[in-house]
Amino acid sequence: MPVIAYFFIVALLRAVKKIVKNKPYKVELFWSGSLFALIVWTISMLAFMATQY
């Protein structure tokens, strides 16, 4: 999960850099959103599995 979080931060920073330069940032927005969703899903699955035992 730390690797996913690292890629999320990188994608988010690239999007911020493009926003500042007034360039399109659709791809970075897609990847940062997808990685954030994956992080949240992983945490929720771990919490769910922890309550099962």
Side-chain angles (χ1 to χ4, degrees), residues 6-28:
Y6 172 76
F7 286 133
F8 167 70
I9 296 296
V10 168
L12 198 59
L13 289 175
R14 283 186 184 167
V16 169
K17 187 170 136 183
K18 285 192 173 186
I19 290 169
V20 169
K21 293 182 177 183
N22 283 333
K23 293 183 178 180
Y25 53 93
K26 230 180 242 189
V27 174
E28 287 79 8

Side-chain angles (χ1 to χ4, degrees), residues 13-53:
L13 289 175
R14 283 186 184 167
V16 169
K17 187 170 136 183
K18 285 192 173 186
I19 290 169
V20 169
K21 293 182 177 183
N22 283 333
K23 293 183 178 180
Y25 53 93
K26 230 180 242 189
V27 174
E28 287 79 8
L29 188 63
F30 169 77
W31 283 111
S32 61
S34 298
L35 291 169
F36 180 75
L38 185 61
I39 290 169
V40 171
W41 181 82
T42 304
I43 291 171
S44 64
M45 283 293 116
L46 290 173
F48 175 74
M49 287 189 279
T51 60
Q52 296 300 314
Y53 295 108

